[in-house]
Amino acid sequence: MWNKISQLLAFFENTIVGVLIMYSALMLFTQIIARAVFNYSFSWAEESVRYAIIWMVFMASSIAFRQNAHISIDVLKQILPKSMLKPFQAAICTICLMTTMLLAWFGWELASRMMMFGQVSSAMEAPMYIFYLSIPISSIFMSIRISESFVSLFSKTNKDTNIAFEEVS
Amino acid sequence: MGAGFFTLTSGLLIFGLPIFVVLLLTVFIGLYSGSSTSLMLIIQRMFSGLDSFPLMAIPLFILAGNLMSTSGLSARILKVAMLCVGPFRGGLAMTTVTGSMFFGAISGSSPATVVSVGRLILPSMIKEGYDRQFSVGLLMATGSLGIIIPPSIFMIVYGAMAGVSIGALFMAGIGAGVVYGAVFLTYCYYRACRAGMKPQPFPPVIELVQAVKDAIWGLAIPVIILGGIYSGLFTPTEAAAVSVIYSAFVGLFIHRDLTLKSIWKVCIESSVITAQVMVIVSAAAAFSWYLTTSNLTGSLSEMLSQLSDNKLLLLLVINVIVLIAGMFLDPNSIVIILVPLIIYVAQAAGIDLIHLGVILCVNCAIGMFTPPFGMNLFVASSLDNVTYGEAVRGALPLVWLALIVLIIINVFPSISLWLPSVALPNI
Amino acid sequence: YSTTVIKVHSDTTEDSAQQEGLERFKELVETRSNGEYDVTIYPNNALGNDVEVAQQMQFGAVQAAPIPTAKLSGFNKDLQLIDMPFLFPNREVAYQFLDGDIGQEVLSGLRKSGFEAAMFWESGFKQLTCNSPIDNPKDLQGKKVRVMESPLLISQYKALGSNPVPIAFSETYTALQQGVVECQENPLVSISQMKFYEVQKNLMMTNHGYLGTAFVFSKMWFDSQSAEHQALLLQAAREAGKYQRERSITREDVYLSGIKAAGSTKVTTLSEAQLDEFQAAMSPVYKEFGNKLSKGLLERSQAELKKLSSL
Ligand code: NA
Ligand code: NA
């Protein structure tokens, strides 16, 4: 059951980041063509690309947790005796989880404050909290992925799911 | 307090937590224990650390590089490099250097260069009897050319931080990259002579012509990127989008080795690689705010400003600081954390900010393959069953060679500044 | 007692009228509070850019800053009033208006966005630079003009038939140099310090817009101070602001002569009649943005400015 949900979330993450990065490339290219050929500029092009990429980065951070791809100094992991590995990785998961939950909490607090103050972006004049929500929402996704890794440390059956702590190419 | 903070940071780093988690966690702890500042600040800095248009070149240059590797563009370019220097003594090693230079000119990041060149050339080097450690070391050391030769993600981040023209930085990187490449080529030749390697006969010219013809779409990329930037058709950031569209177009319609489906897959992979880099940039912005306001680095900047009347000594100290930082941190965090501390001192001492950018770039390029932490080390470890230990042992002797390049670039600013001064006389 | 730290953000270098004003503010606050306040100035956007710092002020992480009105308009639309083209005929009228009832009303409107505003400081009047000479509005037709990412400025240049391109301040020099854009507008302080004149052949003294900054405190932090200290802080910001304006005027002459001395830029002063043409060509902005402001604000302002101008 959880595997189904997890796959659905993965599909959701992949679709968001894929669409956003493609949008960014196409929008900037369109901007160049419009300026060079038609001497016209979209005033919201740069801003929309900035916020698209910010959403993309935080959502893709969740995928990176799923693939255990976040950059770290993993020397200690390589020299630890096998018996220590599991508690060690459990500790890492716990600390990561604490951090992403703090991000979710304070991210939500900041976004809701922005909702209250009603700041809008400078070019699109869109509410800023929509973009700031990228951090708390993605942090919830990250928390889910970290929890999955944590659980998989202690369950023997789930070896085939590609969640964390398997080597990534 | 300062010592405790840095012990905490390095302790958490060595423990093996993701770097961005370490940066955020230390700021969480620092702000919570030491001041009344709301922790919402961290979120605000994380967001605004990324909210800068020049940084948008990072995902797009990564995407473009991956599109070129997935399609046959990179392989075709390497074939040309192989035909140019392959017949010399130590030709295959020299092909690694030249290939990295070529690939550096179409890709913005070092790990991408290591992967693309490494996949294609490492197996043949080992098959031809090259020492395994040397081969991997050379690959990592020259892969660093990815951020020295334009386009360069490092230069973009530095330019955005320091308010320096990214176009001029790109120009300045060419000179430094050529010197870096030349020193390594010379070393490969010297090594091959000492090992008694024999030169190979040159292939018929027609073969080279054919290879250039095959690779022409790839070889055109640096011309299009730099030409577009310097003719005013687009900004350096927009150039990244151009190279994405261009490589997708060539892969889909000219070489026909990309499909919409494979492009979609590359998009998602590239997003994840982008996130690995940019989430650290984002966390480093929070970290740097904390350093700035808590006066933890006050003694460092005070020491630096006392050196401001001795340019060479100041440069030496900056180099040492960045080299040490480079052992542990990635280039983008280094720039974000250190540039605010050193830039005004450097400016006061009369150091050209473009020259400084190139110096920092080469420093960070070296940091990419110095242990314990270096992206090139990790990426190389993922190639052809190389272990982390082998990668480290292969890298260490070449660090010295790279340090020689670093000294040359420090002492002769004109290597960096000549090209921009000719091409962009107003800077 | 312990000292309270006041972190002050600044978006300019240390060599600026704004820095001089902030140092005066620091001096006044620290002496008058007998050292109860410790003011630290962070120049060069060290804490973030204007909009980012304004956000930080909303939750009290930074305590005070002079922030350009154009950057605050995302928080409160009424600040766009100050950015209207040709709003002020000259500095005296601008100061009287901004320090008068309507100016104060606009400032106190910032309370609901989380800022306690003390006074308008300034960057100065905006001038136009371009690669080709611009003598009348028609010369700007089809030209690519770099503007701040602000809907009002974008529509101001659209009204002239040019192509406004929003480009980050830090990328503007390169963009001008490489011809991505051909023109830009800024006060002399920016044209001089960012060296835009090196890559622009013409500087037109148009005074077509006023770049004001609002000196604001974080309301969250300000409200937690004693009434006595609040008065002290506001008073210090106002006195320092008077000084900042004086320095701004003095420095403008220095900047202009520096640009002239560099020799690569032709400086043109436009006649009243020419400026009237620009004013007429930019006037559609008033119609478009007037009703985005609080009801009646634009009409009252125009009436007040007419009165002040005729004095
Ligand atoms: Na490159
Ligand atoms: Na390193």
Side-chain angles (χ1 to χ4, degrees), chain C residues 68-79:
Chain C
T69 53
K71 306 282 179 170
L72 283 172
S73 64
F75 297 88
N76 183 328
K77 287 260 169 279
D78 282 351
L79 271 293

Side-chain angles (χ1 to χ4, degrees), chain C residues 207-247:
Chain C
N207 292 323
H208 65 276
Y210 181 74
L211 216 160
T213 57
F215 190 99
V216 290
F217 292 99
S218 158
K219 184 169 186 300
M220 192 177 151
W221 174 82
F222 189 84
D223 288 350
S224 70
Q225 306 302 304
S226 70
E228 185 191 343
H229 278 165
Q230 289 181 346
L232 184 160
L233 290 163
L234 288 175
Q235 184 58 27
R238 286 174 189 144
E239 282 179 37
K242 293 247 158 60
Y243 177 65
Q244 191 272 343
R245 284 177 181 172
E246 285 167 28
R247 294 300 304 149

Side-chain angles (χ1 to χ4, degrees), chain B residues 388-424:
Chain B
Y388 174 80
E390 275 181 310
V392 169
R393 282 191 296 276
L396 283 177
L398 295 174
V399 171
W400 294 107
L401 202 59
L403 287 178
I404 295 174
V405 178
L406 182 62
I407 293 169
I408 298 176
I409 284 164
N410 267 285
V411 178
F412 303 105
S414 54
I415 294 172
S416 317
L417 299 179
W418 178 76
L419 200 56
S421 73
V422 172
L424 313 163

Side-chain angles (χ1 to χ4, degrees), chain B residues 110-111 114 136-145 147-148 180 184 323 326-331 361-380 388 390-405:
Chain B
S110 287
V114 173
V136 179
L138 187 67
L139 192 61
M140 291 183 296
T142 56
S144 282
L145 283 163
I147 61 168
I148 303 176
Y180 193 107
F184 274 81
L323 277 175
M327 290 169 67
F328 299 99
L329 287 174
D330 70 295
C361 180
V362 176
N363 267 305
C364 289
I366 296 173
M368 304 288 284
F369 60 96
T370 52
F373 173 84
M375 275 307 282
N376 290 8
L377 284 170
F378 301 149
V379 172
Y388 174 80
E390 275 181 310
V392 169
R393 282 191 296 276
L396 283 177
L398 295 174
V399 171
W400 294 107
L401 202 59
L403 287 178
I404 295 174
V405 178

Side-chain angles (χ1 to χ4, degrees), chain B residues 104 107-108 145-146 149-152:
Chain B
S107 122
L145 283 163
I149 294 180
S152 156

